[in-house]
Amino acid sequence: MTLSLQASPVASEPTADVGVVGMAVMGSNLARNFASRGYTVAVFNRSPGRTRDLMAAHGEEGSFTPAETVADFVASLKRPRRVILLVKAGDATDAAIDSLVPFLEPGDIVVDGGNRTSPDTIRREAGLRAQGLHFVGAGISGGEEGALRGPAIMPGGPAESYEVLGPMLESIAAKVGGVPCCAHVGPDGAGHFVKMVHNGIEYADMQLIGEAYDLLRQGLGAGPSELGDIFAEWNSGDLESFLIEITAEVLHHTDADTGRPFVDIVVDEAGQKGTGRWTVQNALELGVPVTGIAEATFARALSSSVPQRTAARAVLPANAQPWAIEDRAQFVEDVRSALYASKVVAYSQGFDQIAAASDLYGWGIDRGAMARIWRGGCIIRARFLNRITEAYQRNPELPLLIADPYFAEVVGSGLAAWRRVVSQAALAGVPTPAFASSLSYYDGLRAPRSAAALIQGQRDLFGAHTYLRVDRPGTFHTRWTTDRLEVEV
């Protein structure tokens, strides 16, 4: 079949139900997903070659309307027009929007399906709203396979946009028990914000799994294949998740060229594309402690700090104790318990961050709904998201996920193991930044008194920053440099 992408006279009656701009892997796979559900999909890429490649490879999978010009692309869309952008962040996104706007009409909907910071989405939504257009920042998780088979989708923007978009997005989303992993998140930047936090939790989850692997390998002296068996077994219980599943797969894999375990021939420098960093930066602005996510982000940065690591290995002593694992099965169970508890902390912190942003921006985000749509399609899909959904169903205003009766009990029951693992790791000189910081966060939450009282005293002494008292209301300052008398301010 010969295809022509040359501009042609616009058809009198538009036929495409939805349009996708950006024919890289995610965009082309999402377009194929729509087509597989019976939709006619208009496709466009700034470089027409990618559109031709899609049509040559997959044009017979469904009904596609390829276009070479923006004008023809928009003209092929039924009203209200629904356009989904999957292009690079930054200037490329603004350029794509600017190229579309002259051809759109009030009521048309532009969906940005990439990873974005919420301030950019808020800006774009306001700008298009002023022109009578709807702008939807939609987080899409699941990678290229999810885009094709069924992702988790987190659309923000105007509620009325979801009335038009919702049925289409829900039809292509992953399903768990027949329920689509898609729901309207909230106004303007809410969807992209939730996707950012999702990715931050993903960073923490991956780091925790990595630390569990490192502990088991060093503590047991076991090879990757044996550890793959352990993770595969864990995936049949409470830790069941996509990330645990693929961890077992990676550990079982053998390099074809060398015959060595695959994990042993990979350079130990982890990359990142920025969403973890965005999550930590935003948490600092909101004043929300996301220690697990932060430590995971910094751990990736440390892994890539090659000159520093090289210098450290040459001169820094370990002064560590050798491992002395007397009960291998108990050690494995301890690591499993510590992993589960630390994962709960990471998710709890992420939901705290979502709640804080929702309150600040008036988004009204339903945290239970977010847990529900993360149960399938996305990278952090896991069995225990059902438990999180249930926790918010019991109490939609739950101030702390770990305080839910189920999570308080399950984390508490593994607390002794968690402490043993972190202690053993410290004595053996094995870094566990996410395990250890999560445990410190837990202890910080439950402590009846913290060191903050001393810090407030220090702040008052050097900067007259004032303090509160435990025994009476008011704000106070001590005249440290003169008579040291206390005054109310």
Side-chain angles (χ1 to χ4, degrees):
M1 182 174 66
T2 302
L3 294 169
S4 173
L5 293 184
Q6 298 300 315
S8 57
V10 176
S12 58
E13 194 66 36
T15 59
D17 302 296
V18 63
V20 179
V21 175
M23 291 293 104
V25 175
M26 284 292 290
S28 61
N29 279 7
L30 199 72
R32 292 169 60 196
N33 189 344
F34 275 114
S36 73
R37 314 293 173 166
Y39 295 107
T40 297
V41 187
V43 289
F44 173 79
N45 194 81
R46 185 181 62 174
S47 302
R50 285 195 166 177
T51 307
R52 295 190 187 103
D53 290 343
L54 169 69
M55 296 304 298
H58 305 289
E60 296 182 357
E61 293 180 359
S63 178
F64 294 96
T65 304
E68 188 169 288
T69 69
V70 174
D72 283 356
F73 170 77
V74 174
S76 70
L77 294 167
K78 297 176 183 177
R79 293 175 175 82
R81 301 178 180 96
R82 287 153 286 202
V83 179
I84 300 178
L85 304 178
L86 282 158
V87 299
K88 290 183 179 179
D91 293 342
T93 302
D94 288 320
I97 293 171
D98 291 343
S99 70
L100 288 165
V101 166
F103 302 99
L104 299 177
E105 299 173 350
D108 289 346
I109 304 168
V110 178
V111 181
D112 181 4
N115 288 327
R116 308 290 186 251
T117 62
S118 53
D120 279 345
T121 303
I122 292 171
R123 169 179 60 80
R124 290 169 180 144
E125 194 276 334
L128 292 190
R129 180 168 18 96
Q131 301 178 66
L133 302 172
H134 295 263
F135 185 74
V136 173
I140 301 176
S141 178
E144 57 187 76
E145 187 67 16
L148 179 62
R149 307 297 177 191
I153 309 177
M154 295 148 262
E160 54 267 37
S161 296
Y162 196 76
E163 295 177 7
V164 176
L165 280 172
M168 297 183 71
L169 296 181
E170 290 175 11
S171 71
I172 68 164
K175 311 291 190 301
V176 175
V179 179
C181 295
C182 176
H184 183 241
V185 178
D188 50 62
H192 276 153
F193 185 90
V194 166
K195 176 54 163 57
M196 177 193 74
V197 174
H198 163 284
N199 284 25
I201 294 172
E202 179 185 311
Y203 273 53
D205 212 340
M206 294 174 72
Q207 175 65 25
L208 290 165
I209 292 171
E211 291 178 16
Y213 152 76
D214 200 20
L215 285 165
L216 291 172
R217 186 158 194 186
Q218 297 203 44
L220 300 177
S225 183
E226 181 182 349
L227 298 180
D229 292 342
I230 292 173
F231 278 95
E233 182 180 350
W234 285 355
N235 198 49
S236 65
D238 288 340
L239 281 173
E240 179 189 349
S241 68
F242 173 70
L243 287 172
I244 294 289
E245 176 188 345
I246 66 171
T247 297
E249 185 175 350
V250 169
L251 290 173
H252 281 136
H253 185 56
T254 300
D255 176 54
D257 290 337
T258 64
R260 297 171 59 193
F262 171 77
V263 73
D264 287 345
I265 59 93
V266 177
V267 174
D268 61 339
E269 300 169 24
Q272 54 182 303
K273 292 188 175 180
T275 45
R277 185 170 63 250
W278 296 348
T279 306
V280 176
Q281 290 170 336
N282 175 265
L284 289 170
E285 293 170 0
L286 291 173
V288 177
V290 292
T291 56
I293 297 170
E295 289 294 349
T297 305
F298 290 136
R300 291 197 188 188
L302 178 60
S303 75
S304 300
S305 299
V306 177
Q308 292 83 355
R309 292 177 65 194
T310 302
R313 281 194 296 266
V315 299
L316 298 185
N319 194 22
Q321 297 180 8
W323 287 97
I325 305 300
E326 297 179 357
D327 187 333
R328 291 171 66 88
Q330 183 61 57
F331 181 67
V332 171
E333 176 57 22
D334 281 357
V335 174
R336 188 203 67 80
S337 295
L339 175 58
Y340 191 86
S342 298
K343 282 165 65 78
V344 172
V345 166
Y347 281 73
S348 183
Q349 291 176 345
F351 280 105
D352 282 350
Q353 186 170 359
I354 290 172
S358 181
D359 289 344
L360 178 64
Y361 293 107
W363 285 334
I365 297 175
D366 181 343
R367 288 172 291 171
M370 298 307 96
R372 175 177 58 77
I373 65 178
W374 288 350
R375 294 181 304 164
C378 70
I379 301 301
I380 64 172
R381 59 185 183 267
R383 176 188 294 187
F384 92 137
L385 281 161
N386 289 312
R387 297 290 193 177
I388 296 178
T389 303
E390 293 165 2
Y392 286 115
Q393 287 174 342
R394 285 190 291 270
N395 181 4
E397 303 303 320
L398 185 66
L400 177 72
L401 181 61
I402 307 175
D404 172 78
Y406 169 79
F407 287 110
E409 180 180 353
V410 74
V411 173
S413 65
L415 191 55
W418 198 4
R419 296 194 190 284
R420 283 194 297 270
V421 166
V422 171
S423 299
Q424 287 172 300
L427 291 171
V430 177
T432 55
F435 272 21
S437 67
S438 298
L439 179 57
S440 291
Y441 173 83
Y442 176 90
D443 283 333
L445 287 173
R446 49 162 292 280
R449 289 278 289 172
S450 76
L454 175 60
I455 293 170
Q456 283 299 87
Q458 294 170 331
R459 295 180 71 242
D460 189 61
L461 190 152
F462 69 66
H465 291 297
T466 73
Y467 54 88
L468 306 177
R469 294 179 61 98
V470 298
D471 54 355
R472 61 178 183 269
T475 301
F476 302 90
H477 165 62
T478 294
R479 296 189 296 226
W480 298 96
T481 58
T482 57
D483 56 15
R484 298 207 168 203
L485 293 178
E486 181 180 81
V487 295
E488 187 170 2
V489 294

